Amino acid sequence: MKVLILGSGVVGVTSAYYLARQGHEVTVVDRQSAPAMETSYGNAGQVSFGFSSPWAAPGIPQKAVKWMFQEHAPLKIQPRMDPTMARFMMKMFGNCNPERYAVNKERMVRIAEHSRACIDALRAETGIRYEDRQRGLLQLFRHDSQVEAVAKDMKVLEQCGVRHRLLGAEEIAAVEPALARVPGKFVGGLHLPDDQTGDCHLFTTRLADHCRERLGVEFRFNVDIQRIRRGNAGIEGVITSAGELTADAYVVCLGSYSPFLVKDLGIRLPIYPVKGYSLTVPVIDDGGAPQSTVMDETYKVAISRFDDRIRVGGTAELAGHDLSLPEKRRATIDMVVRDVFPEGGDVDRAEFWSGLRPMTPDSTPIVGATRYDNLWLNTGHGTLGWTMSCGSAQLLSDLMAAESPRIDPQGLDVSRYAA
């Protein structure tokens, strides 16, 4: 079967990998000049299977109001006349209750845990390296209330068989030795020993090379995707700046831009771009830098270690598709890395970046079939695109081949929004 994949971020390239391994003839199309040049380029560097949690959580609507008046708040909302943003926020707040949180958390962990097995197998099969480390994630708590609140997450982790351990303040430095240099800042932490880190851009580009060289995948870059053409028998082609491209099946992996492409087909995707920022900091003191990923729960900032760099990612900003880099948005992630690892890196020489995470109201990606037999979706992964990419791509390949899926796909496709 000829498959045309729209988008060459980490989700598009992993989709190409699994579909090509099944023997399909795969072509990937993207407007950029190379893979992983947008949201996959400068993300936080965490592959956080056990940490997969919905942004839509109990208490978030009340916190959102409070955060509007805080300088270092994890959520920022740009006031604007944007009915799409208003609808997204209403739907997200509708998921901020304990019942919906538990359902959404289970769905996310279901995909993420499958993704753990998939990326481990992929790394073993392809041999690619991407400054990766398999040393876990440490979620840090500055307040006792955060330790109490994590109990509900631990129940889901137990149900899903995810290894985890709640640490006291005196235990966190055993996991991340550099934290011994900042005593008294944290009251405890949740350690997820099976989580991983790495450079998502490097992972995606090297996987794309493997797909091209070993699996025969064709990549067509610098091609603008304009619209999908439907006919009586389903999707008949994709109109692009390079002409019409045709295939037997089509997969939309365009992240925050996916809704625009399928809207004229009568498919409404409740995906909104949630802007995030990152700093890439040169390491100057190995002993003062993180060894894996640390998540500061108070500010929702992740700090990950590459070989000789520290990646610091955070802030969720609702501002449409704006990719500008205002210095005031740098302030929070700059402050957190200086506060947690003050001696680890040269923050003044950091690279500042922004990207658009394709967020759904329930934080769960949209993976699976549509009303058109030959049109498929793998999009809406939010802040955990890399974490879920291999699992969602492998699931998609099973569904497209009409094979028995290796995880339960219930609740993951676009039909969950039908009501």
Side-chain angles (χ1 to χ4, degrees):
M1 180 168 67
K2 290 182 62 176
V3 180
L4 184 64
I5 295 176
L6 309 178
S8 70
V10 67
V11 173
V13 173
T14 51
S15 297
Y17 171 74
Y18 286 102
L19 287 166
R21 284 178 76 247
Q22 282 188 333
H24 301 299
E25 183 182 338
V26 179
T27 300
V28 180
V29 182
D30 198 286
R31 66 183 179 183
Q32 295 291 347
S33 60
M37 293 303 294
E38 296 192 27
T39 303
S40 301
Y41 181 81
N43 72 11
Q46 60 189 105
V47 193
S48 306
F49 314 106
F51 187 70
S52 299
S53 295
W55 271 84
I60 288 296
Q62 295 83 358
K63 290 179 181 178
V65 175
K66 180 180 70 174
W67 287 334
M68 288 176 65
F69 305 99
Q70 291 183 356
E71 179 185 2
H72 297 302
L75 176 65
K76 297 288 186 180
I77 301 173
Q78 288 288 345
R80 55 195 293 130
M81 297 298 293
D82 185 348
T84 303
M85 183 174 79
R87 285 193 297 269
F88 172 81
M89 291 180 64
M90 289 179 63
K91 290 178 181 178
M92 186 182 81
F93 289 162
N95 278 276
C96 293
N97 60 69
E99 295 75 24
R100 293 307 309 165
Y101 181 88
V103 170
N104 298 332
K105 171 82 174 178
E106 185 281 327
R107 289 173 177 171
M108 294 177 73
V109 174
R110 190 195 322 162
I111 299 176
E113 279 300 293
H114 180 49
S115 203
R116 181 202 310 279
C118 290
I119 196 171
D120 287 346
L122 181 153
R123 196 169 51 247
E125 177 177 310
T126 64
I128 65 171
R129 308 307 301 202
Y130 40 94
E131 299 190 22
D132 52 298
R133 298 181 179 213
Q134 291 76 47
R135 300 185 188 180
L137 176 144
L138 179 60
Q139 184 181 8
L140 291 172
F141 307 122
R142 294 177 184 261
H143 309 291
D144 291 331
S145 59
Q146 294 170 330
V147 177
E148 296 167 4
V150 82
K152 63 180 180 295
D153 286 342
M154 292 172 64
K155 289 181 181 178
V156 176
L157 295 175
E158 289 169 7
Q159 293 167 1
C160 295
V162 179
R163 290 202 303 154
H164 62 283
R165 182 175 169 229
L166 189 62
L167 306 178
E170 70 284 354
E171 299 175 287
I172 58 177
V175 175
E176 283 287 353
L179 296 178
R181 302 188 185 188
V182 288
K185 287 191 183 294
F186 304 101
V187 300
L190 180 67
H191 186 220
L192 299 155
D194 297 322
D195 282 7
Q196 304 175 14
T197 64
D199 185 333
C200 182
H201 176 255
L202 194 56
F203 170 85
T204 308
T205 55
R206 289 185 174 174
L207 182 60
D209 289 342
H210 177 88
C211 288
R212 183 188 301 108
E213 296 164 6
R214 303 292 181 87
L215 298 174
V217 174
E218 179 184 3
F219 288 85
R220 300 193 62 176
F221 295 115
N222 299 306
V223 175
D224 288 330
I225 300 165
Q226 297 167 353
R227 66 181 178 89
I228 295 176
R229 185 173 67 83
R230 63 180 172 183
N232 296 329
I235 304 306
E236 295 188 348
V238 175
I239 308 303
T240 77
S241 59
E244 183 171 6
L245 305 179
T246 61
D248 301 309
Y250 303 84
V251 182
V252 177
C253 302
L254 289 172
S256 297
Y257 298 92
S258 300
F260 300 125
L261 193 64
V262 300
K263 185 168 111 176
D264 290 342
L265 302 175
I267 300 172
R268 297 292 183 265
L269 297 182
I271 294 173
Y272 193 81
V274 176
K275 188 178 182 182
Y277 299 88
S278 76
L279 294 174
T280 305
V281 183
V283 171
I284 56 175
D285 179 357
D286 182 73
Q291 296 306 303
S292 189
T293 291
V294 165
M295 168 62 73
D296 189 323
E297 178 61 18
T298 300
Y299 300 103
K300 306 290 187 185
V301 169
I303 308 172
S304 297
R305 178 65 182 273
F306 298 165
D307 286 354
D308 57 2
R309 298 170 294 152
I310 302 169
R311 175 67 54 75
V312 191
T315 306
E317 182 178 10
L318 302 183
H321 290 79
D322 171 38
L323 281 167
S324 63
L325 290 166
E327 281 300 311
K328 63 181 178 180
R329 291 293 178 258
R330 176 174 177 152
T332 298
I333 52 178
D334 189 296
M335 180 275 294
V336 171
V337 70
R338 291 180 190 271
D339 187 55
V340 181
F341 298 105
E343 301 169 354
D346 187 348
V347 182
D348 292 331
R349 291 197 294 123
E351 175 191 353
F352 188 32
W353 173 90
S354 71
L356 303 176
R357 302 115 153 191
M359 188 74 76
T360 61
D362 55 16
S363 301
T364 306
I366 301 171
V367 185
T370 68
R371 66 177 67 178
Y372 302 94
D373 290 343
N374 63 341
L375 180 65
W376 300 80
L377 301 172
N378 192 10
T379 188
H381 293 67
T383 59
L384 295 171
W386 188 17
T387 294
M388 298 185 183
S389 61
C390 291
S392 66
Q394 196 285 316
L395 171 63
L396 179 76
S397 69
D398 280 348
L399 295 172
M400 290 180 67
E403 296 181 355
S404 178
R406 292 167 222 199
I407 60 170
D408 182 4
Q410 182 67 32
L412 300 180
D413 66 20
V414 71
S415 67
R416 73 178 186 266
Y417 295 113

